[in-house]
Amino acid sequence: MKKHLNTLFVTMEGAYLRKDGAAVEIRHDGESKLRVPLHNLEGIACFGWDIGASASLIAACAEAGVAISFHNPHGKFMAATRGYTSGNVLLRREQYRRADHEPAAVAIAANMLAAKLSNSRQVMMRAARDHGDKSATRAFALSQAADFLAVRIGLLGRATSLDSLRGIEGDAAAAYFAAFPHLLVNHDPAIAITGRSRRPPLDPVNALLSFLYSLLMHDCRSALESCGLDPQCGFLHRDRPGRPSLALDLMEEFRSFLADRVALTLFNRRQLTATDFRTEESGAVLLKDDSRKAVLVAWQERKQDEITHPFLDETVTVGMLPQLQARLLARHLRGDLDAYPAFLSK
Amino acid sequence: MFDEDHLVAISALQHWLYCPRQCALIHVERAWEENKFTAQGRVMHERAHEGPNESRPGIRITRGLPVRSLGLGLSGQCDVVEFHTDGRVVPVEYKRGKPKAHRADEVQLCAQALCLEEMLGGAIEGGCLYYGERRRRTPVNFDHELRDLVTVTASSVRECLTTGTTPPAEYEPRRCDACSLIELCQPRSLRFRRGAAAWFQQRLRAAMATDVNADPGDS
Ligand code: SF4
């Protein structure tokens, strides 16, 4: 496993990526802009409509296990390149078998969702603690939502079908996003959020969350690919051609811990303000091109944070979490572990 | 007799003797991580294989010779095989480092010899291991004991590959800390092998028990 989780982000329209020896070279307008050795990279994520990569670079990346993904300028995942399917066919067969067997799928999905809800709850309680005395209303609203989530976690443990899991999760997500405004401490009316909107995002918070989730998605998908799992075959998310359902499953436990917390930090420290977003005629809100950089920097910094992995009991960087959890999932599918120990933050 | 489609790589025997789990991770799960040690080993092998075939008085030297045995169901490649004019055939294998406590290197060399015996139709009494750190040859005698070890190991490996099961990890510092697969294998996490479900429930309950007044933990 690579220790350095460095993702190269390419945001310059018109950039062209090519292989230069054992490095990737970024060219623009016939000029060389940057050269990075491939062995220093975990992934390359391109954000733009007009960014290209040479076939020889794509082949070298496939061989070196460096994921290249293409996103639109707002972060929406469009495509990723890969080499021949590698890894273990027996593992993938087992993955399909469990996905087809409802009780097995429920057991895995329930742990992923319990972790998701628990981690969201931790984010809320943390905020309630940090600012509790400043506003009693806030602390009250947050701890109420936290209690609501705690009850849903109990229900998850008793659910016997994927549909009931999805129902519980839907309620919990609605409650979480209803309380989300209380997590934002810099009361800027321009940065309000009213529930989660995705297609398209209708406010700056949603625009930023969508962008961060697409970064998280890139990491989860690469993590699954690199341990031989099929990112398209999920347990909770149903198969749909082209949809990386297992990557969406794996993302659940990290959404609040990784992405939401980065978003909150950026807004609460006023590193991002309403001027970093623009509104289209349709009401869709988008992160401005120049502001994406600040987000990418904050994201990379968050990935460098160190924590003690709750199950492995080892010091790891936050950026390693998708890799580690994907491996634990593979271990569970192989029968080494009697359950999938989803990531539970403290 | 095995057919050509079902031959086991000789290198798998060596991995098996180092650690059965390592063997399964590499040959069943197709996991491969290169670390400093394997990279050095690979460079050395490339050199051993790349050199030209040469003749010295009394010896013809062949490098990178592919071999197989349908009787044992093995296939692999010899770093170097010396064909002496007196009829002796001597396989030589290049190794990084120094002679080791386990017999994996000898088994690998002997497996090559058994393949050569089947293909050439004669007896091979011994070969040599060349250790990079010592810069000299260690002769290996292919006695009954070693030949039996090759046979037994080959059948254990075959069974593992056929059933596709990966043996659980047992963390042994001396072995695991030098293992290139330690990050993939996570041998220490497997101490919870049968207890992941219990761990998760207990940890979840603990997380539920914390409330807004609790001590702020790390992230
Ligand atoms: S880390 Fe230890 S148990 Fe795991 S494969 Fe390597 S030697 Fe075997």
Side-chain angles (χ1 to χ4, degrees), chain A residues 1 3 129 334 336 338, chain B residues 29 33 183 193-194 212:
Chain A
M1 190 178 316
K3 295 282 187 206
R129 271 194 309 257
R334 284 183 190 120
D336 281 352
D338 62 349
Chain B
E29 302 189 13
E33 282 291 296
E183 304 262 9
R193 199 175 317 145
R194 300 257 70 92
V212 285

Side-chain angles (χ1 to χ4, degrees), chain A residues 105-128:
Chain A
V106 166
I108 296 171
N111 282 10
M112 290 171 156
L113 288 180
K116 171 187 182 163
L117 268 50
S118 174
N119 296 344
S120 300
R121 201 172 159 270
Q122 298 297 337
V123 168
M124 298 182 135
M125 292 194 305
R126 206 180 146 91

Side-chain angles (χ1 to χ4, degrees), chain A residues 237-253:
Chain A
H237 290 85
R238 287 201 186 90
D239 294 356
R240 198 189 290 158
R243 174 158 90 164
S245 300
L246 187 61
L248 292 169
D249 286 0
L250 183 63
M251 266 176 78
E252 297 288 9
E253 50 202 275

